[in-house]
Amino acid sequence: MAKPRNPFEHHHDHGDHDDDHDHHHDHGVIATEELDPAQQSLADALRWSFTVLKWGMVLVIVFYLFSNVFSVPSGYVAVRLRFGEVVGDGRDQVIQAGGLHFAFPYPIEEVILIKTSSQQIALSKEFWWEQQPNQPADAPSRPLKPDKDGSLLTGDANIVHARWTLTYGVSDPVAFAMNVGDHETANNLVRAAAEEGVVLAIAQSTLDDVMRSTHDKAAIRTHAQATLDEMHTGLVITDDISLKTPTIPGSVRQAYEAVLAAESQRGQAVEMATADRNTKLSETAGAGQGALSEMIRQYDLASTANDAAMLAKLDSQLDLVFTQLEVPAWAQNNKLDLAATDDLWDRFRRMQTAQSGPDLDAAKVEYAKALDAHEVPIAQRPTLPVSGKVAEVINEANSSRSTAVADVEREATIFRTWFDVYKNSPDAKRIVMARIWQEAKAEILNGDVETWYAPPGQLEIWLGRDPAVARKREEDRMKQAEDAKRQAAMDASKKAPTQLGTGAPAKPPGPPMPKPAEQHENDEDH
């Protein structure tokens, strides 16, 4: 029986061929026609598997090589790092939004996307008390727990709770990519820098400044920005760090509100007093009240210092103002030195006292040059009118002076006329004497004087009192008595509570004191 033939073995007879024939065939190639179907299928599967694996590896390599092709979305920029170093020079280091860009795959190159829009951070828990879900929004009245309740210490040793908000952005994408890397880390860095700035700034402010938001807001931003710049983060705080809902611990809220109420009342009182002051000053002197008040203040200082020269100078200036009822606006700011003030007042006097014509024009020109030379602001150059009660008093005084002068002049004219007649005529002298005597008697007997009339040629005179004068005197006496009783009753009512408060029994008012005897009605009046 013939031995089965193994198709994978090499079988042929070398003796069947001549020696001169070359032996040409490949011993490593298996003839497929000698394989059975199962082995043929296995061989095909292996061949296809190796082919697929080869092309798959090629595709993986290609996909790997092109896996870092990227596009920068709107609102972002990108920075490409190759082995940790920024790729590109100058502006090419920052890739703007839009288009496709190629980068080698990680870890050869890394692409960092950076937001260009501002980001907002809220410090809502760092300096706020621990608030439970069902707890009221007001600060608790319980003592603070330092391990759970956040707070700030002010410069005047008070405690305040506050919330803050701030916005920041990326100003240097390259520095951001090298030293920060992602926005979560950026948030943490900005938050820590802001907290440090808030603590430092509030420690230098008072509680009132914080509650009224008048603290130094720029100092917080300045300190936080300096901290970020020192770390080269490429981050910038775009606005002042804003204070939100400051409040104080609930345990002292009632006392603080009482202080606020008192300050509010004080502010209202000051405001009312200021308004009343301005009204009274305006009613007193009008628009020129400020400059006039300053001049009066300087006069009081000079009077206290016994400065005769300054008093004389101020007297002259006040006389000019009261005469013209105008005062220069620069006289109220008190910013000019003494020499400039004297020069301006001298030129102002020349302009005011000049009547007309070339003297007035020249005085105005010289005054304008002096204003320019002393750099008086334009707003301080006009003259302010003095009106109100001051003007009324001055006008009344001027009117009284004119009337008094006219009366004196009239009386002097009459006197000179009568005096000439008196010297030149004895008959006129008797008439003048009689006239003067009548005027003197009329002046003396005017008022509460009783007059008796005696017929001429009678040696015996019967005097009768004037009933109208007697009735008037009686009415005055009764009125004085009623006033005295009323005053005594008022004094007694005021003293009664004091005596009861000290434990002493209140004493009834005693009888009225005897009044001095009235003048005897028969006394003669002269």
Side-chain angles (χ1 to χ4, degrees), residues 371-382:
L371 292 174
D372 292 335
H374 298 299
E375 298 180 353
V376 177
I378 299 298
Q380 296 293 328
R381 296 191 179 190

Side-chain angles (χ1 to χ4, degrees), residues 438-452:
Q438 289 178 358
E439 292 178 354
K441 287 194 296 182
E443 184 70 22
I444 294 172
L445 298 177
N446 185 25
D448 186 10
V449 177
E450 293 188 48
T451 305
W452 287 272

Side-chain angles (χ1 to χ4, degrees), residues 342-355:
D342 291 343
D343 181 50
L344 288 175
W345 271 114
D346 181 62
R347 298 180 187 275
F348 182 74
R349 176 184 295 280
R350 294 179 187 176
M351 184 181 66
Q352 294 291 339
T353 56
Q355 297 298 325

Side-chain angles (χ1 to χ4, degrees), residues 24 28 57 189 203 209 221 311 318 341 347 381 405 442 466 517:
H24 297 288
M57 292 179 65
L189 289 174
D209 292 338
R221 177 174 178 260
L311 286 174
L318 287 170
T341 303
R347 298 180 187 275
R381 296 191 179 190
V405 170
D466 190 341

